[in-house]
Amino acid sequence: MRLNVDGLLVYFPYDYIYPEQFSYMLELKKGLDAKGHLVLEMPSGTGKTISLLSLIVSYMLERPLEITKLVYCSRTVPEIEKVLEELAKLNRFIEKQTGQKTKLVGLAVSSRKNLCIHPEVSQEREGKVVDSRCYGLTAGYVRARAARADTAAGDGDGADPVPTCQFFEQLEESGRDATLQAGIYSLDDLKHYGRERGWCPYFVARRAIQQANIIVYSYHYLLDPKIAEVVSKEIVQSSVVVFDEAHNIDNVCIDSMSVHINKRMLERCSNNISAMEKRIANLKETDAARLQDEYQRMVDGLRDAQMKRENNQLLANPVLPDQILQEAVPGNIRTAEHFLNFMKRLVEYLKMRLRVQHVVQESPAGFLKDIFNKICVDRKPLRFCAERLTSMIRTLELTDMADLSPLVLVSHFATLVSTYTKGFTIIVEPSDDKTPNVYNPILYFRCLDSSLAIKPVFERYQSVVITSGTLSPLDMYPKILDFHPVIITSFTMTLARPCILPMIVTKGNDQVTISSKFESREDPAVIRNYGNLLVDMVTAVPDGVVCFFTSYMYMESVVSSWYDQGIITQLQKHKLLFIETQDAAETSLALLNYIQACENGRGAVLLSVARGKVSEGVDFDHHLGRCVLMFGIPYMYTQSRILKARLEYLRDTFQIRENDFLTFDAVRHASQCVGRAMRGKTDYGIMVFADKRFQRSDKRTKLPLWIQEHLKDSMCNLSTEEAVQISKRWLRRMAQPFSRQDQLGISLLTLQQLQSEEMQNKMRERVTHRI
Amino acid sequence: MTTTEDILLQVNNVRHKKSDGTLFLMSERIGWLMGSKDTFSVSYKYADIKMQKISPDGKAKIQLQVVLHDGGASTFHFNSPDGEPAQRADRDKVKELLQTLLPKFKRKVNKELEEKERLLRENPSLLQLYQDLVITRIATADEFWAQHASEFLNKTNVKQDVGVSGAFLADIKPQTDGCNGLKYNLNVDTINSIYKTYPAVRRKFFEYVPGRMSESEFWTRFFQSHYFHRDRINLSSKDLFTDCARQDEKVIQQELQEELDDPMLDLRRMTDSTVGDGYGSDSSAVGVGQTNTATVSMIRRFNQHSINVLKASLTPEGAAAAAATPAKPQQNGQSNGEASSAAPPAERDPAAKRARLEERTCYEDLEAAPPSAGQPLSLTKVERYLSGPTPDLAQLGSEPPSASAARRLRENVLHWRPFTNKVLDPQTAVSVLGDLSPGGALMKTSHKDRNASADLPDHVKTELAAIYRSAGELLRHFWACFPVSTPALEEKVAKMEDTLHKFHQLKIQNFEDTVCRQAGLGPEVTAHLNQMLSAAYAKYESWRSLRRSLQR
């Protein structure tokens, strides 16, 4: 239908609309008008994506000068594909309504692994290997060498032809200036397009970023400076950036700027360096001019002219654009030998630092001072490390990037540590947290400030929308990401029937308090009560049941206790049992069979882990998850020094109390897990929080509003049996037929209903209901 | 007739309706023989029995009553001359046997009944037919289901296999036998479950039993083996089931290698860009601490067990096939392996993926209601539909037929010349036109009919429609019997003729007499019906006379 959202004609590709979708669009529109940033929370399964796309695309159509581009960031490949599917649907709808082809170009950008169509390279499973092999076929000097070999072969020299990628070559040859026709291109469409024309889909997509109106890609392409510099540099300022499923955005920011180095990597570094030394000696004999040429460029302080050629930019600087120096490379690392010597010293120094027996923690400044004292290395050459290494790799015409990764890592570390003095910490631990008795020193260089990586995004782009189903408490995100949104809103779900049933189970039938707190989590009584709760729920609930534990380790110990206590047997009597493991492949297989078991009516129970892969990427809609149980509160491992350092930093910089942050993080993961079960209004599911501590108000109030709303006080202190009784009654009610008529007017509106005075008033009320 | 059946129990001195006799319980029915006769005077199939009732303990008469589904009941009085205890013993024997027998038949009957009831509920026209034919006793219920609703019943006759319980291994509860040993009670079901779930064990069984060891020894070993205990880490080479475990492992590994057909679930493909070794946090955020390898392998067993159970219930014929050729897989395993490794992994089907995506992204309740799907085309002979009138290949030129037709028409019109010698003279033409106009000599009946149908009151019309439907169904069956080629058809045609007569008398005449009279309508309402019926009678008569003359 066509909607009038605050004076804007919005194309919405459905005939009915949820009231909260309309409110959502209303708020979004206001934010876009104000050219500010937004934080919007709306329950999953209420059509967030389509509301976002509808409004922004319609905005773009109506006022093409104000918003020129939509950059939609999502987290996983399936999410990206879903967004494109919805976009395609919207596009079809607009075309049908206006009766003419839209000029919109929308496309997905993904890594080479997902887009490669080269017959050999695309068979690789590892993303890194695909990248590296692609680079080995398409780098400028490889192609130059290939061209030379070709002419040589033409002359009859019989030199071996250098392999190149035919798809890339054909793209270079004929598709250089070609633009994509208007339309929506999903990953498969891009591949198809590439195959048809014999062009490389990856580079087609990369080149189309400039031209496209809508780009859908993963967070990293915008947040990780190493990739953002290569991929997203040229995206115009008047763009709207959307981070969907943004509840983990701070972790992505931090990860993209953190580095850890262990002994094995340093050993491989040394090997890299000696290999390069040999190579340089070789080159000196055969082609000294090239080295001289490189040196000259360094002196001139010009960034490599070849840098402009995007296919050469496999390696970009790990620091943010505004931090990159616009100076010449310092003298002591200009020649190749000097630089290698420099790196050698640096690696030796790091090796020395790793020889510790106790934990060392220091700031980047302290580290720089120490490195200056010990090996007389200045800050400035360190800052140029990454760039200098990139240049050298190019000069030496090295192609095997996967092999060189340790050296690249060290150079990045050097650049980062010398660039940022605030918001980072260095921790050297003699052994891993996991294996405290094995000597395995690691140097962690951790970013503590999630606002660093995202800062350029906020500064550069007109509007940034941060949205997810679970962002509560909303005021936390502006704090930790350090920005000032113009609108912060949480939307609840209008429901025609109470289709979620959140419950807090605090005790077992024997009145033993259940909790995953450290002192009692290994208590057999607690574990048994968790087991009995699960068995009882499994007996009462049809189809799929999903449980989340706080960690793999805890799940493993519980499962083995359950086996001894005979609980596993009881579970198997009712449903098939599947368990997430740390191996992604095995888990995928288990998941597939779990779904099959639910589909064919057998019913199954899946044991999974909060913060694990399943909790982040898989939806359990409808019968796949009629009940979700959260055993315990998924706190982070609080003894970790990295976490402690971060908490300290948050306290000092943003005035966030440690406990607040820890609880915030735990509860958002818990609600994320539990929210997996709800994917729409026709869906229904039980959410059991099995931990005494959930009933405290500091945890309860941090749950998303749409869960809190249904969490009555009477449901906050239940025993297992009570919970099962309530569930049974509720399930009987929910299983009744539910038709559109029941929803219409309450949680589902036609255009007429939407336009009615009464509804508009209600809508306005809802919007003003801010937190 | 008694000789063909197994007699399960025979009780003398049983009175029924005040006469003495003997009660027999046979494999499929219960019968009572009066003392002097040699045929059963009472005989019920177990399937017809709804329940049994017994007299309370304090009563003087020791009786047992069987209640039938159709509401009838028979009471048997046990009066053995040996006194009350013997009578009671007799009664209890019968009771207990009935108790075990009845449920077996009961379920079947109930299921059938339920199924039929469901069919009637879901098909209003069938229900109407049922009411017209069965309730008015034109045809019996059995006849109805066999003849008129056979296509409905057949569809639902797919047998479902019983799946494997997830906890079947745990259900075998070991019992201590008192002297430091354990006793496992295995029954056929459990063994079947084991076979279905672990085909490798079945293969082993055929390999070893009875050649190398006895059956019980085999199972003893099975339970002793680590294979049964799920936390197997170290497999001793002596163990019989070691290579079973290995084989399982291989199967799992192979499945892991294969691409998952659902891209939405493949966790390996979830993340788009890897941050790379050394960047970001390592996995420490997820779970910290040492993992116990025994537990990990136990978890893997659980997963594998569930997967096997699921597989066993999904492909019963596959499992059976595997069982039928126990030795074969080893032979062709190698060639299979080579073939699959040589072939590149097939590109996933983008269309299927797209469909899945669409399904995942679409909000059903936001969509407009889909237009109601038309009646699905169900063809009894597909080839006849496909190879209908074959188009003339010569005319299938490059241009579409409509265009060529239009062109031809234009040409024809251009060259058109009236055939003046073949037209009617004006007078005749006018009179013909007059005859064919409404009210003309040739249009009398049709015109009147139309008026009549338009004038019918609503309730008459609906009733008439129902009668038409039923009559149509019956006539269809009647005409389907021709040509009468088999004795069965002969019987049927006679039967149908009879049914038609009954229908005629009971329904149509009733309709004419009551409804039409009341509404003040003439016989013309049912004229067409009667015409159809009389056509059928005529056909039947002519066939019979023909047959008689042939027989003579």
Side-chain angles (χ1 to χ4, degrees):
Chain A
M1 57 175 122
R2 297 194 211 197
L3 303 170
N4 174 4
V5 179
D6 195 16
L8 180 77
L9 171 68
V10 171
Y11 294 96
F12 188 74
Y14 291 99
D15 291 330
Y16 297 87
I17 187 168
Y18 297 142
E20 55 269 37
Q21 282 182 319
F22 189 77
S23 318
Y24 188 89
M25 290 198 240
L26 218 55
E27 291 297 277
L28 188 58
K29 160 89 174 23
K30 277 187 206 157
L32 294 183
D33 282 342
K35 298 199 189 342
H37 308 316
L38 299 94
V39 177
L40 302 172
E41 181 186 59
M42 182 152 94
S44 42
T46 45
K48 228 175 1 228
T49 309
I50 193 66
S51 316
L52 267 169
L53 290 174
S54 289
L55 188 100
I56 300 178
V57 169
S58 305
Y59 206 109
M60 270 166 44
L61 288 176
E62 188 123 316
R63 304 175 197 172
L65 294 177
E66 285 179 38
I67 296 180
T68 41
K69 213 183 266 275
L70 165 63
V71 181
Y72 196 105
C73 303
S74 201
R75 269 153 30 94
T76 60
V77 177
E79 291 289 339
I80 290 173
E81 300 202 79
K82 276 198 241 168
V83 172
L84 277 157
E85 182 60 38
E86 299 206 39
L87 187 61
K89 187 180 173 106
L90 176 66
N91 195 40
R92 281 196 297 272
F93 178 75
I94 295 177
E95 278 174 2
K96 212 170 128 197
Q97 287 289 312
T98 54
Q100 57 192 26
K101 284 278 228 188
T102 55
K103 294 202 179 66
L104 293 174
V105 178
L107 81 158
V109 180
S110 182
S111 57
R112 289 177 172 88
K113 181 181 72 172
N114 293 324
L115 281 174
C116 185
I117 53 170
H118 189 277
E120 285 161 31
V121 179
S122 61
Q123 295 305 312
E124 297 287 347
R125 288 265 173 97
E126 286 273 318
K128 259 184 303 176
V129 183
V130 177
D131 284 354
S132 157
R133 286 193 65 180
C134 177
Y135 188 70
L137 293 174
T138 59
Y141 46 84
V142 175
R143 297 181 53 234
R145 211 188 303 155
R148 277 201 301 278
D150 258 7
T151 50
D155 294 346
D157 268 1
D160 286 337
V162 177
T164 53
C165 173
Q166 44 157 337
F167 298 102
F168 184 74
E169 293 305 319
Q170 281 172 29
L171 178 67
E172 282 294 283
E173 219 167 84
S174 51
R176 193 83 199 143
D177 304 315
T179 50
L180 277 178
Q181 274 174 4
I184 307 299
Y185 297 87
S186 68
L187 294 178
D188 285 334
D189 293 337
L190 280 171
K191 277 192 192 175
H192 181 72
Y193 180 87
R195 276 209 194 90
E196 232 170 33
R197 290 172 177 70
W199 294 349
C200 171
Y202 174 73
F203 284 102
V204 166
R206 282 271 304 273
R207 280 170 194 173
I209 286 180
Q210 268 289 68
Q211 178 210 349
N213 306 89
I214 302 143
I215 305 163
V216 186
Y217 56 31
S218 104
Y219 283 13
H220 299 277
Y221 286 77
L222 210 54
L223 293 179
D224 190 342
K226 297 186 286 296
I227 314 176
E229 175 69 8
V230 181
V231 179
S232 312
K233 201 170 60 180
E234 289 174 340
I235 294 176
V236 290
Q237 237 171 338
S238 55
S239 306
V240 175
V241 177
V242 175
F243 290 105
D244 195 1
E245 303 284 327
H247 46 271
N248 265 351
I249 194 167
D250 53 324
N251 292 338
V252 178
C253 292
I254 282 178
D255 280 355
S256 67
M257 297 188 76
S258 298
V259 170
H260 60 257
I261 297 171
N262 62 17
K263 242 180 157 173
R264 207 169 43 103
M265 284 184 201
L266 289 178
E267 291 303 330
R268 283 173 62 201
C269 253
S270 302
N271 291 344
N272 287 157
I273 292 175
S274 45
M276 284 176 100
E277 269 176 336
K278 258 183 230 149
R279 184 105 194 195
I280 287 176
N282 253 343
L283 198 63
K284 245 185 169 168
E285 282 167 16
T286 56
D287 197 0
R290 199 158 8 130
L291 286 175
Q292 186 56 38
D293 182 38
E294 188 201 17
Y295 177 76
Q296 199 53 46
R297 276 204 308 270
M298 299 286 155
V299 175
D300 294 345
L302 296 172
R303 297 195 73 189
D304 217 314
Q306 278 181 320
M307 284 281 263
K308 301 269 176 326
R309 305 280 294 274
E310 66 265 49
N311 51 317
N312 278 343
Q313 285 186 346
L314 187 76
L315 294 171
N317 219 317
V319 295
L320 301 165
D322 56 329
Q323 305 283 352
I324 293 172
L325 296 177
Q326 303 298 325
E327 301 171 42
V329 176
N332 58 349
I333 55 168
R334 272 184 210 158
T335 64
E337 290 112 322
H338 289 169
F339 177 62
L340 277 186
N341 275 331
F342 176 86
M343 287 304 286
K344 228 191 220 166
R345 267 193 296 163
L346 181 64
V347 170
E348 287 308 318
Y349 170 76
L350 289 174
K351 277 185 190 165
M352 188 270 286
R353 289 304 304 266
L354 277 182
R355 253 174 256 130
V356 288
Q357 295 300 328
H358 54 93
V359 179
V360 178
Q361 181 171 4
E362 62 185 4
S363 67
F367 182 84
L368 287 176
K369 188 154 179 280
D370 189 60
I371 200 170
F372 183 72
N373 288 339
K374 295 254 168 63
I375 56 166
C376 298
V377 164
D378 228 349
R379 184 176 172 188
K380 198 170 171 199
L382 278 176
R383 294 185 77 171
F384 280 93
C385 253
E387 203 171 329
R388 181 66 188 88
L389 182 68
T390 315
S391 158
M392 192 158 87
I393 289 171
R394 197 169 304 123
T395 314
L396 295 181
E397 301 190 344
L398 297 172
T399 51
D400 197 359
M401 298 311 300
D403 209 34
L404 281 175
S405 65
L407 191 62
V408 173
L409 180 77
V410 169
S411 77
H412 282 179
F413 165 69
T415 304
L416 281 170
V417 78
S418 51
T419 308
Y420 297 101
T421 47
K422 238 179 116 339
F424 285 82
T425 189
I426 294 170
I427 295 172
V428 188
E429 287 188 337
S431 56
D432 211 344
D433 277 338
K434 283 182 196 160
T435 48
N437 304 320
V438 184
Y439 183 67
N440 177 26
I442 302 178
L443 182 144
Y444 292 101
F445 176 68
R446 286 291 289 188
C447 175
L448 301 174
D449 190 346
S450 45
S451 68
L452 280 176
I454 204 170
K455 199 170 185 180
V457 178
F458 283 127
E459 276 172 3
R460 187 182 167 105
Y461 301 110
Q462 180 176 312
S463 288
V464 177
V465 184
I466 289 186
T467 186
S468 171
T470 49
L471 285 177
S472 294
L474 291 172
D475 53 338
M476 191 61 97
Y477 284 88
K479 265 194 215 164
I480 57 174
L481 297 179
D482 194 22
F483 72 109
H484 299 286
V486 292
I487 288 172
I488 309 181
T489 311
S490 173
F491 299 91
T492 59
M493 201 172 353
T494 51
L495 291 174
R497 55 174 188 171
C499 69
I500 62 173
L501 179 66
M503 293 188 285
I504 298 176
V505 177
T506 57
K507 48 193 185 277
N509 284 337
D510 48 5
Q511 302 302 313
V512 173
T513 303
I514 49 178
S515 168
S516 72
K517 68 178 173 202
F518 184 73
E519 300 82 50
S520 65
R521 72 168 70 142
E522 298 296 337
D523 186 352
V526 171
I527 293 181
R528 194 191 55 237
N529 271 321
Y530 273 148
N532 287 338
L533 172 63
L534 181 58
V535 170
D536 286 356
M537 286 314 265
V538 156
T539 319
V541 176
D543 297 324
V545 174
V546 189
C547 333
F548 289 98
F549 291 85
T550 50
S551 69
Y552 280 113
M553 195 186 64
Y554 187 51
M555 179 171 78
E556 278 164 14
S557 82
V558 168
V559 167
S560 86
S561 310
W562 279 357
Y563 181 50
D564 297 336
Q565 291 169 349
I567 285 170
I568 296 283
T569 315
Q570 278 172 281
L571 283 180
Q572 283 178 326
K573 271 184 195 154
H574 297 288
K575 290 190 194 299
L576 292 179
L577 176 69
F578 294 98
I579 305 174
E580 179 180 359
T581 63
Q582 304 213 31
D583 181 308
E586 262 179 51
T587 309
S588 306
L589 190 65
L591 206 57
L592 192 76
N593 282 286
Y594 167 81
I595 287 173
Q596 216 164 43
C598 290
E599 298 278 358
N600 81 352
R602 257 202 100 111
V605 52
L606 179 72
L607 309 186
S608 178
V609 171
R611 295 164 198 277
K613 287 214 166 67
V614 171
S615 75
E616 293 293 345
V618 183
D619 293 342
F620 298 103
D621 45 347
H622 296 279
H623 60 287
L624 301 185
R626 280 289 175 236
C627 175
V628 185
L629 297 112
M630 179 76 233
F631 290 134
I633 301 182
Y635 277 117
M636 278 183 275
Y637 177 58
T638 43
Q639 296 306 304
S640 142
R641 286 185 188 80
I642 297 169
L643 180 62
K644 278 182 179 162
R646 184 164 178 218
L647 290 175
E648 221 163 87
Y649 182 82
L650 286 173
R651 191 191 56 207
D652 295 345
T653 325
F654 300 120
Q655 287 78 49
I656 298 170
R657 296 213 323 267
E658 283 102 329
N659 229 344
D660 274 354
F661 184 76
L662 283 175
T663 313
F664 151 76
D665 181 76
V667 174
R668 75 171 158 178
H669 276 104
S671 40
Q672 184 59 28
C673 295
V674 149
R676 295 275 127 197
M678 274 304 289
R679 298 279 125 174
K681 294 196 168 180
T682 49
D683 199 356
Y684 57 94
I686 302 170
M687 303 170 170
V688 178
F689 298 93
D691 194 311
K692 170 119 179 135
R693 293 171 293 169
F694 273 117
Q695 65 164 322
R696 285 192 212 145
S697 72
D698 64 324
K699 318 280 189 300
R700 239 179 97 186
T701 51
K702 286 191 171 68
L703 287 171
L705 204 59
W706 57 278
I707 295 181
Q708 263 186 61
E709 227 181 24
H710 291 89
L711 187 60
K712 285 172 249 154
D713 282 339
S714 58
M715 302 284 204
C716 286
N717 190 12
L718 299 174
S719 72
T720 301
E721 199 178 344
E722 287 164 337
V724 171
Q725 286 311 319
I726 293 170
S727 316
K728 275 185 182 161
R729 226 174 304 135
W730 180 84
L731 279 170
R732 220 170 291 144
R733 223 165 99 210
M734 284 301 120
Q736 303 309 315
F738 185 61
S739 70
R740 192 198 300 279
Q741 289 312 318
D742 301 329
Q743 277 206 66
L744 213 59
I746 307 167
S747 58
L748 189 69
L749 304 176
T750 59
L751 190 56
Q752 285 82 20
Q753 282 169 328
L754 183 71
Q755 282 161 347
S756 72
E757 190 77 19
E758 181 195 10
M759 201 37 94
Q760 291 284 338
N761 284 339
K762 255 195 208 166
M763 214 81 82
R764 230 166 281 133
E765 254 167 58
R766 196 200 315 283
V767 168
T768 49
H769 174 67
R770 303 256 172 90
I771 319 167
Chain B
M1 68 186 285
T2 51
T3 51
T4 53
E5 285 182 86
D6 294 340
I7 294 171
L8 302 176
L9 184 69
Q10 179 177 355
V11 184
N12 292 323
N13 300 318
V14 178
R15 300 187 76 167
H16 177 59
K17 290 193 175 152
K18 298 193 173 153
S19 42
D20 274 321
T22 313
L23 186 69
F24 292 90
L25 268 78
M26 266 117 18
S27 55
E28 284 194 357
R29 56 203 184 110
I30 184 170
W32 182 78
L33 209 62
M34 209 192 271
S36 53
K37 289 187 184 165
D38 58 352
T39 53
F40 284 116
S41 33
V42 177
S43 160
Y44 301 124
K45 283 197 170 139
Y46 291 132
D48 293 334
I49 298 174
K50 194 173 164 196
M51 57 177 174
Q52 55 167 334
K53 287 179 179 171
I54 52 168
S55 56
D57 271 348
K59 278 250 175 114
K61 280 185 181 173
I62 308 292
Q63 286 181 322
L64 182 138
Q65 190 185 39
V66 288
V67 183
L68 304 180
H69 280 298
D70 57 12
S74 301
T75 312
F76 300 104
H77 177 204
F78 296 83
N79 65 338
S80 163
D82 301 341
E84 203 191 309
Q87 290 169 2
R88 181 163 298 130
D90 277 350
R91 203 261 319 265
D92 287 351
K93 260 190 269 169
V94 174
K95 183 191 85 180
E96 270 153 31
L97 192 57
L98 273 178
Q99 245 167 10
T100 56
L101 287 171
L102 284 182
K104 284 184 205 161
F105 293 92
K106 198 171 193 173
R107 202 172 306 139
K108 207 170 94 192
V109 169
N110 280 355
K111 246 184 217 152
E112 257 175 45
L113 278 179
E114 267 169 31
E115 184 60 31
K116 285 173 179 169
E117 203 188 316
R118 191 185 61 78
L119 273 175
L120 287 180
R121 213 172 37 239
E122 284 173 7
N123 301 296
S125 58
L126 196 67
L127 179 65
Q128 176 68 41
L129 199 62
Y130 185 85
Q131 280 167 350
D132 282 351
L133 299 185
V134 182
I135 295 182
T136 54
R137 298 192 182 234
I138 290 171
T140 64
D142 284 347
E143 263 174 34
F144 173 79
W145 287 113
Q147 290 187 7
H148 302 285
S150 53
E151 65 264 42
F152 290 98
L153 278 179
N154 283 342
K155 261 188 274 180
T156 54
N157 253 346
V158 187
K159 226 181 108 204
Q160 245 190 337
D161 252 17
V162 180
V164 182
S165 155
F168 69 86
L169 277 181
D171 281 341
I172 321 164
K173 292 249 167 56
Q175 295 166 338
T176 46
D177 58 359
C179 48
N180 260 350
L182 283 175
K183 221 172 89 187
Y184 287 99
N185 288 323
L186 276 178
N187 57 14
V188 184
D189 279 350
T190 323
I191 292 178
N192 270 337
S193 297
I194 295 174
Y195 283 164
K196 269 190 187 171
T197 324
Y198 296 102
V201 174
R202 180 175 191 138
R203 247 171 270 141
K204 266 264 135 58
F205 183 83
F206 283 117
E207 231 173 88
Y208 281 84
V209 181
R212 296 195 220 171
M213 58 178 72
S214 72
E215 195 177 340
S216 69
E217 198 182 344
F218 179 85
W219 290 117
T220 314
R221 292 258 194 115
F222 176 76
F223 285 110
Q224 281 168 354
S225 157
H226 279 261
Y227 189 63
F228 173 59
H229 300 289
R230 285 156 230 197
D231 39 358
R232 49 182 140 129
I233 329 166
N234 39 358
L235 300 159
S236 69
S237 54
K238 269 186 284 177
D239 200 323
L240 186 60
F241 295 98
T242 310
D243 58 323
C244 283
R246 281 212 197 97
Q247 224 154 35
D248 280 356
E249 195 66 24
K250 233 189 335 195
V251 170
I252 290 282
Q253 287 304 328
Q254 201 186 336
E255 266 172 39
L256 289 180
Q257 287 304 310
E258 283 165 18
E259 302 260 310
L260 291 184
D261 46 345
D262 190 343
M264 314 292 286
L265 291 179
D266 199 338
L267 295 171
R268 286 167 293 184
R269 294 168 163 274
M270 281 282 184
T271 49
D272 188 16
S273 58
T274 42
V275 252
D277 272 345
Y279 296 99
S281 55
D282 43 359
S283 53
S284 63
V286 175
V288 183
Q290 221 164 348
T291 53
N292 186 351
T293 40
T295 328
V296 170
S297 85
M298 186 163 83
I299 285 178
R300 288 188 68 188
R301 291 305 135 222
F302 287 146
N303 278 341
Q304 198 184 346
H305 176 78
S306 298
I307 291 172
N308 279 340
V309 167
L310 191 63
K311 251 192 239 159
S313 56
L314 284 182
T315 55
E317 61 281 343
T325 54
K328 230 178 173 181
Q330 278 115 343
Q331 288 166 4
N332 55 16
Q334 267 172 332
S335 57
N336 273 350
E338 277 166 25
S340 62
S341 65
E347 190 69 24
R348 281 168 302 155
D349 186 12
K353 189 177 156 189
R354 171 144 289 181
R356 252 199 90 68
L357 269 178
E358 196 147 345
E359 181 197 328
R360 294 302 287 266
T361 52
C362 190
Y363 288 88
E364 263 172 31
D365 46 349
L366 291 182
E367 295 266 17
S372 61
Q375 195 71 24
L377 180 65
S378 87
L379 297 168
T380 44
K381 281 185 184 152
V382 182
E383 65 275 16
R384 243 167 84 182
Y385 176 76
L386 291 176
S387 60
T390 41
D392 207 343
L393 282 174
Q395 288 186 351
L396 265 181
S398 54
E399 58 189 325
S402 59
S404 70
R407 194 162 42 78
R408 227 176 303 128
L409 180 72
R410 203 165 55 238
E411 276 166 19
N412 284 346
V413 168
L414 276 180
H415 303 291
W416 184 70
R417 207 174 297 120
F419 298 105
T420 36
N421 49 350
K422 279 193 183 170
V423 292
L424 286 176
D425 58 301
Q427 271 168 359
T428 334
V430 167
S431 75
V432 166
L433 254 182
D435 285 346
L436 282 172
S437 312
L442 292 171
M443 296 300 283
K444 255 175 200 155
T445 47
S446 67
H447 187 58
K448 225 166 103 193
D449 264 6
R450 206 186 55 209
N451 273 344
S453 72
D455 291 343
L456 284 181
D458 276 346
H459 71 278
V460 179
K461 216 191 279 181
T462 49
E463 200 150 328
L464 185 63
I467 286 178
Y468 256 104
R469 235 188 338 259
S470 304
E473 174 67 23
L474 289 177
L475 283 167
R476 189 171 67 77
H477 278 281
F478 174 80
W479 288 106
C481 297
F482 291 97
V484 184
S485 47
T486 60
L489 275 177
E490 267 175 39
E491 203 175 307
K492 191 181 169 191
V493 81
K495 185 126 204 152
M496 284 316 300
E497 201 258 356
D498 189 40
T499 316
L500 280 175
H501 271 296
K502 273 192 211 159
F503 184 77
H504 196 164
Q505 280 163 12
L506 279 170
K507 275 282 177 184
I508 300 180
Q509 282 178 2
N510 192 22
F511 176 73
E512 281 170 351
D513 291 347
T514 57
V515 184
C516 297
R517 286 288 137 68
Q518 277 167 19
L521 291 166
E524 70 272 0
V525 176
T526 49
H528 179 241
L529 263 178
N530 288 327
Q531 210 179 321
M532 285 200 297
L533 284 174
S534 52
Y537 299 149
K539 174 76 184 174
Y540 183 72
E541 281 311 317
S542 72
W543 169 74
R544 227 170 46 170
S545 61
L546 195 69
R547 193 160 141 267
R548 228 177 270 134
S549 67
L550 277 177
Q551 274 171 350
R552 217 174 283 144

